[in-house]
Amino acid sequence: MENDTGAKAKDLIDVAIKEVGYREKINNGSKYASWFGLDNNPYSAMFVSWCFAMIGRSDLIAVTSEKGFASPKIGYDHFLKNDLLLKKNSAVKPGDILFIAQKANSRHFPLSVAVATKVRKGWVGRKRLVIASTVEADCWGEFGEPKGVHRKLRVVEGFGSSVIGVFRPNY
């Protein structure tokens, strides 16, 4: 659904992808945390909030402030409490926001937030597998790249999933 600004999931994805390659500064310093007013803090949620601000839709994720939310746990708890997370086994789409736990198959609190950019479905034996390409911040890249904004693959459904919740904004 489109709003008055015309912003869509594709716009959010485009903003997130343009940030891939950004490297954090010393002690978790980032432009996302500085923008949120909480420099030198973990910034995956602030990155997602910043991306929404860049498309003029902070209202979709205004949880703790008009800017959005600064903590994966606070965002997850808000969307869960207000029944805004997708039901289990709902079809994940590009532009959805993924809440990610520390390790696969964990139901512990989320430690990271990501923007889904593509979704692939398939089967491993008799088990259905859904994998999302994501853009995530405040994480290590492949092959030991420094912390910053990276593309990742996340198992959304199936063995090894670390995604504990999915929020679909009403663009």
mmCIF file of all heavy atoms in Angstrom, residues 55-83:
data_model
loop_
_atom_site.group_PDB
_atom_site.id
_atom_site.type_symbol
_atom_site.label_atom_id
_atom_site.label_comp_id
_atom_site.label_asym_id
_atom_site.label_seq_id
_atom_site.Cartn_x
_atom_site.Cartn_y
_atom_site.Cartn_z
ATOM 1 N N ILE A 55 13.366 7.626 3.798
ATOM 2 C CA ILE A 55 12.252 7.542 2.839
ATOM 3 C C ILE A 55 11.030 8.310 3.366
ATOM 4 O O ILE A 55 9.947 8.209 2.814
ATOM 5 C CB ILE A 55 11.883 6.085 2.482
ATOM 6 C CG1 ILE A 55 11.336 5.313 3.680
ATOM 7 C CG2 ILE A 55 13.069 5.377 1.834
ATOM 8 C CD1 ILE A 55 10.665 3.995 3.328
ATOM 9 N N GLY A 56 11.221 9.028 4.473
ATOM 10 C CA GLY A 56 10.132 9.840 5.011
ATOM 11 C C GLY A 56 9.037 9.043 5.692
ATOM 12 O O GLY A 56 7.894 9.490 5.760
ATOM 13 N N ARG A 57 9.358 7.851 6.230
ATOM 14 C CA ARG A 57 8.326 7.004 6.842
ATOM 15 C C ARG A 57 8.691 6.534 8.250
ATOM 16 O O ARG A 57 8.363 5.415 8.643
ATOM 17 C CB ARG A 57 8.040 5.788 5.957
ATOM 18 C CG ARG A 57 7.314 6.091 4.669
ATOM 19 C CD ARG A 57 6.050 6.940 4.785
ATOM 20 N NE ARG A 57 5.110 6.603 5.820
ATOM 21 C CZ ARG A 57 4.024 5.878 5.667
ATOM 22 N NH1 ARG A 57 3.721 5.410 4.488
ATOM 23 N NH2 ARG A 57 3.217 5.641 6.684
ATOM 24 N N SER A 58 9.309 7.381 9.026
ATOM 25 C CA SER A 58 9.606 7.041 10.422
ATOM 26 C C SER A 58 8.344 6.702 11.194
ATOM 27 O O SER A 58 8.387 5.958 12.174
ATOM 28 C CB SER A 58 10.346 8.194 11.108
ATOM 29 O OG SER A 58 11.618 8.356 10.534
ATOM 30 N N ASP A 59 7.212 7.225 10.740
ATOM 31 C CA ASP A 59 5.945 6.945 11.426
ATOM 32 C C ASP A 59 5.624 5.455 11.474
ATOM 33 O O ASP A 59 4.945 4.995 12.382
ATOM 34 C CB ASP A 59 4.791 7.697 10.742
ATOM 35 C CG ASP A 59 4.613 7.284 9.283
ATOM 36 O OD1 ASP A 59 5.554 7.490 8.480
ATOM 37 O OD2 ASP A 59 3.544 6.747 8.944
ATOM 38 N N LEU A 60 6.145 4.679 10.537
ATOM 39 C CA LEU A 60 5.855 3.249 10.493
ATOM 40 C C LEU A 60 6.545 2.471 11.613
ATOM 41 O O LEU A 60 6.116 1.369 11.944
ATOM 42 C CB LEU A 60 6.279 2.665 9.144
ATOM 43 C CG LEU A 60 5.528 3.189 7.924
ATOM 44 C CD1 LEU A 60 6.132 2.632 6.650
ATOM 45 C CD2 LEU A 60 4.045 2.837 8.025
ATOM 46 N N ILE A 61 7.597 3.057 12.164
ATOM 47 C CA ILE A 61 8.361 2.350 13.198
ATOM 48 C C ILE A 61 8.604 3.224 14.429
ATOM 49 O O ILE A 61 9.505 2.951 15.217
ATOM 50 C CB ILE A 61 9.697 1.831 12.639
ATOM 51 C CG1 ILE A 61 10.512 2.980 12.064
ATOM 52 C CG2 ILE A 61 9.465 0.738 11.612
ATOM 53 C CD1 ILE A 61 11.957 2.675 11.937
ATOM 54 N N ALA A 62 7.802 4.255 14.618
ATOM 55 C CA ALA A 62 7.968 5.158 15.759
ATOM 56 C C ALA A 62 7.562 4.432 17.041
ATOM 57 O O ALA A 62 6.414 4.471 17.453
ATOM 58 C CB ALA A 62 7.147 6.423 15.555
ATOM 59 N N VAL A 63 8.514 3.767 17.649
ATOM 60 C CA VAL A 63 8.261 2.957 18.836
ATOM 61 C C VAL A 63 8.622 3.724 20.099
ATOM 62 O O VAL A 63 7.786 3.949 20.960
ATOM 63 C CB VAL A 63 9.029 1.619 18.764
ATOM 64 C CG1 VAL A 63 8.913 0.839 20.059
ATOM 65 C CG2 VAL A 63 8.527 0.783 17.585
ATOM 66 N N THR A 64 9.886 4.120 20.219
ATOM 67 C CA THR A 64 10.330 4.835 21.427
ATOM 68 C C THR A 64 10.465 6.329 21.201
ATOM 69 O O THR A 64 10.563 7.088 22.151
ATOM 70 C CB THR A 64 11.682 4.293 21.941
ATOM 71 O OG1 THR A 64 12.649 4.384 20.883
ATOM 72 C CG2 THR A 64 11.539 2.864 22.404
ATOM 73 N N SER A 65 10.492 6.740 19.942
ATOM 74 C CA SER A 65 10.558 8.163 19.606
ATOM 75 C C SER A 65 10.033 8.328 18.190
ATOM 76 O O SER A 65 9.755 7.340 17.508
ATOM 77 C CB SER A 65 12.007 8.684 19.702
ATOM 78 O OG SER A 65 12.745 8.330 18.544
ATOM 79 N N GLU A 66 9.929 9.566 17.757
ATOM 80 C CA GLU A 66 9.464 9.809 16.388
ATOM 81 C C GLU A 66 10.462 9.283 15.361
ATOM 82 O O GLU A 66 10.126 9.127 14.189
ATOM 83 C CB GLU A 66 9.191 11.287 16.161
ATOM 84 C CG GLU A 66 10.411 12.154 16.311
ATOM 85 C CD GLU A 66 10.117 13.631 16.238
ATOM 86 O OE1 GLU A 66 8.981 14.030 16.527
ATOM 87 O OE2 GLU A 66 11.043 14.389 15.889
ATOM 88 N N LYS A 67 11.693 8.990 15.793
ATOM 89 C CA LYS A 67 12.704 8.453 14.879
ATOM 90 C C LYS A 67 12.588 6.951 14.683
ATOM 91 O O LYS A 67 13.098 6.422 13.714
ATOM 92 C CB LYS A 67 14.106 8.785 15.394
ATOM 93 C CG LYS A 67 14.454 10.251 15.295
ATOM 94 C CD LYS A 67 15.877 10.502 15.749
ATOM 95 C CE LYS A 67 16.243 11.952 15.554
ATOM 96 N NZ LYS A 67 17.626 12.217 15.945
ATOM 97 N N GLY A 68 11.989 6.252 15.629
ATOM 98 C CA GLY A 68 11.879 4.801 15.518
ATOM 99 C C GLY A 68 12.215 4.122 16.816
ATOM 100 O O GLY A 68 11.664 4.445 17.857
ATOM 101 N N PHE A 69 13.173 3.190 16.763
ATOM 102 C CA PHE A 69 13.603 2.476 17.960
ATOM 103 C C PHE A 69 15.104 2.221 17.876
ATOM 104 O O PHE A 69 15.660 2.037 16.801
ATOM 105 C CB PHE A 69 12.821 1.179 18.168
ATOM 106 C CG PHE A 69 12.882 0.198 17.025
ATOM 107 C CD1 PHE A 69 13.763 -0.872 17.069
ATOM 108 C CD2 PHE A 69 12.051 0.331 15.925
ATOM 109 C CE1 PHE A 69 13.812 -1.789 16.026
ATOM 110 C CE2 PHE A 69 12.091 -0.580 14.880
ATOM 111 C CZ PHE A 69 12.976 -1.641 14.924
ATOM 112 N N ALA A 70 15.763 2.209 19.035
ATOM 113 C CA ALA A 70 17.212 2.089 19.088
ATOM 114 C C ALA A 70 17.682 0.694 19.477
ATOM 115 O O ALA A 70 18.858 0.389 19.350
ATOM 116 C CB ALA A 70 17.779 3.112 20.077
ATOM 117 N N SER A 71 16.776 -0.142 19.933
ATOM 118 C CA SER A 71 17.143 -1.462 20.437
ATOM 119 C C SER A 71 16.318 -2.542 19.742
ATOM 120 O O SER A 71 15.089 -2.422 19.658
ATOM 121 C CB SER A 71 16.881 -1.509 21.946
ATOM 122 O OG SER A 71 16.672 -2.810 22.405
ATOM 123 N N PRO A 72 16.965 -3.605 19.264
ATOM 124 C CA PRO A 72 16.196 -4.702 18.664
ATOM 125 C C PRO A 72 15.147 -5.265 19.626
ATOM 126 O O PRO A 72 14.021 -5.527 19.226
ATOM 127 C CB PRO A 72 17.263 -5.756 18.342
ATOM 128 C CG PRO A 72 18.519 -4.976 18.181
ATOM 129 C CD PRO A 72 18.415 -3.844 19.164
ATOM 130 N N LYS A 73 15.493 -5.416 20.884
ATOM 131 C CA LYS A 73 14.561 -5.984 21.868
ATOM 132 C C LYS A 73 13.358 -5.072 22.067
ATOM 133 O O LYS A 73 12.218 -5.545 22.112
ATOM 134 C CB LYS A 73 15.264 -6.220 23.200
ATOM 135 C CG LYS A 73 14.294 -6.681 24.284
ATOM 136 C CD LYS A 73 14.709 -7.941 24.933
ATOM 137 C CE LYS A 73 13.856 -8.389 26.075
ATOM 138 N NZ LYS A 73 12.481 -8.629 25.838
ATOM 139 N N ILE A 74 13.577 -3.786 22.183
ATOM 140 C CA ILE A 74 12.461 -2.851 22.379
ATOM 141 C C ILE A 74 11.533 -2.861 21.158
ATOM 142 O O ILE A 74 10.312 -2.900 21.298
ATOM 143 C CB ILE A 74 12.963 -1.434 22.690
ATOM 144 C CG1 ILE A 74 13.579 -1.414 24.100
ATOM 145 C CG2 ILE A 74 11.852 -0.403 22.567
ATOM 146 C CD1 ILE A 74 14.286 -0.131 24.462
ATOM 147 N N GLY A 75 12.092 -2.843 19.950
ATOM 148 C CA GLY A 75 11.273 -2.902 18.741
ATOM 149 C C GLY A 75 10.497 -4.204 18.659
ATOM 150 O O GLY A 75 9.289 -4.211 18.414
ATOM 151 N N TYR A 76 11.183 -5.316 18.903
ATOM 152 C CA TYR A 76 10.544 -6.630 18.862
ATOM 153 C C TYR A 76 9.411 -6.706 19.882
ATOM 154 O O TYR A 76 8.291 -7.123 19.549
ATOM 155 C CB TYR A 76 11.585 -7.718 19.132
ATOM 156 C CG TYR A 76 11.011 -9.101 19.246
ATOM 157 C CD1 TYR A 76 10.708 -9.837 18.106
ATOM 158 C CD2 TYR A 76 10.758 -9.672 20.487
ATOM 159 C CE1 TYR A 76 10.182 -11.116 18.199
ATOM 160 C CE2 TYR A 76 10.230 -10.948 20.588
ATOM 161 C CZ TYR A 76 9.944 -11.662 19.446
ATOM 162 O OH TYR A 76 9.410 -12.921 19.549
ATOM 163 N N ASP A 77 9.684 -6.310 21.133
ATOM 164 C CA ASP A 77 8.661 -6.370 22.184
ATOM 165 C C ASP A 77 7.441 -5.521 21.816
ATOM 166 O O ASP A 77 6.307 -5.929 22.033
ATOM 167 C CB ASP A 77 9.228 -5.916 23.524
ATOM 168 C CG ASP A 77 10.182 -6.935 24.133
ATOM 169 O OD1 ASP A 77 10.255 -8.086 23.651
ATOM 170 O OD2 ASP A 77 10.882 -6.570 25.108
ATOM 171 N N HIS A 78 7.682 -4.339 21.243
ATOM 172 C CA HIS A 78 6.577 -3.456 20.848
ATOM 173 C C HIS A 78 5.706 -4.111 19.772
ATOM 174 O O HIS A 78 4.478 -4.157 19.894
ATOM 175 C CB HIS A 78 7.117 -2.119 20.337
ATOM 176 C CG HIS A 78 6.079 -1.271 19.692
ATOM 177 N ND1 HIS A 78 5.218 -0.479 20.415
ATOM 178 C CD2 HIS A 78 5.740 -1.107 18.389
ATOM 179 C CE1 HIS A 78 4.391 0.147 19.582
ATOM 180 N NE2 HIS A 78 4.692 -0.217 18.355
ATOM 181 N N PHE A 79 6.346 -4.608 18.712
ATOM 182 C CA PHE A 79 5.580 -5.199 17.619
ATOM 183 C C PHE A 79 4.882 -6.481 18.059
ATOM 184 O O PHE A 79 3.763 -6.761 17.631
ATOM 185 C CB PHE A 79 6.473 -5.434 16.398
ATOM 186 C CG PHE A 79 7.022 -4.159 15.813
ATOM 187 C CD1 PHE A 79 8.378 -3.985 15.618
ATOM 188 C CD2 PHE A 79 6.179 -3.114 15.465
ATOM 189 C CE1 PHE A 79 8.882 -2.807 15.082
ATOM 190 C CE2 PHE A 79 6.661 -1.926 14.933
ATOM 191 C CZ PHE A 79 8.022 -1.776 14.740
ATOM 192 N N LEU A 80 5.508 -7.252 18.938
ATOM 193 C CA LEU A 80 4.897 -8.469 19.468
ATOM 194 C C LEU A 80 3.682 -8.124 20.334
ATOM 195 O O LEU A 80 2.599 -8.678 20.146
ATOM 196 C CB LEU A 80 5.918 -9.265 20.284
ATOM 197 C CG LEU A 80 5.428 -10.566 20.906
ATOM 198 C CD1 LEU A 80 5.054 -11.575 19.824
ATOM 199 C CD2 LEU A 80 6.511 -11.140 21.823
ATOM 200 N N LYS A 81 3.853 -7.188 21.256
ATOM 201 C CA LYS A 81 2.771 -6.790 22.174
ATOM 202 C C LYS A 81 1.564 -6.251 21.409
ATOM 203 O O LYS A 81 0.416 -6.476 21.795
ATOM 204 C CB LYS A 81 3.297 -5.723 23.141
ATOM 205 C CG LYS A 81 2.258 -5.189 24.089
ATOM 206 C CD LYS A 81 2.854 -4.087 24.953
ATOM 207 C CE LYS A 81 1.775 -3.397 25.742
ATOM 208 N NZ LYS A 81 2.252 -2.200 26.403
ATOM 209 N N ASN A 82 1.817 -5.539 20.327
ATOM 210 C CA ASN A 82 0.734 -4.937 19.543
ATOM 211 C C ASN A 82 0.280 -5.830 18.381
ATOM 212 O O ASN A 82 -0.415 -5.362 17.485
ATOM 213 C CB ASN A 82 1.179 -3.561 19.046
ATOM 214 C CG ASN A 82 1.290 -2.584 20.187
ATOM 215 O OD1 ASN A 82 0.285 -2.175 20.762
ATOM 216 N ND2 ASN A 82 2.515 -2.242 20.567
ATOM 217 N N ASP A 83 0.682 -7.103 18.412
ATOM 218 C CA ASP A 83 0.279 -8.093 17.420
ATOM 219 C C ASP A 83 0.582 -7.633 15.991
ATOM 220 O O ASP A 83 -0.238 -7.789 15.085
ATOM 221 C CB ASP A 83 -1.212 -8.431 17.583
ATOM 222 C CG ASP A 83 -1.571 -9.766 16.948
ATOM 223 O OD1 ASP A 83 -0.692 -10.652 16.893
ATOM 224 O OD2 ASP A 83 -2.723 -9.910 16.495
#
